[in-house]
Amino acid sequence: WEVLVEKASTFDITVHPLAISKKGTVHLRIGKYSAQQKLVADVGPIRFQDVRLNEGEGRIEAWLEDGDEVRAVQYVVVTRRE
């Protein structure tokens, strides 16, 4: 997803895997920021907290990897922390 960060800030980013995804690793990449978390069965959305994003255009990339299989995620929610 293409994004425009209007003001540098800290964000929480929640990745919602597809309902069929029960295991694997969720990856998140935005510019220079990159992180991953293990997906545990029936855990629900994966939250990446305190992500510092600089002002400007960028791209959010999120995907699930399980062995050799790579799957898309359903959607991502970005919330600015105040």
Side-chain angles (χ1 to χ4, degrees), residues 45-65:
I46 302 295
R47 189 172 183 184
F48 295 86
Q49 296 181 303
D50 299 321
V51 178
R52 181 74 182 164
L53 299 179
N54 294 321
E55 183 177 320
E57 294 180 359
R59 175 179 290 160
I60 297 176
E61 298 175 83
W63 67 97
L64 177 71
E65 193 172 290

Side-chain angles (χ1 to χ4, degrees), residues 20-25 38-42 64-66 71:
I20 61 169
S21 302
K22 301 293 184 191
K23 63 178 185 168
T25 302
K38 291 280 186 190
L39 182 65
V40 180
D42 299 322
L64 177 71
E65 193 172 290
D66 184 11
R71 286 182 250 145

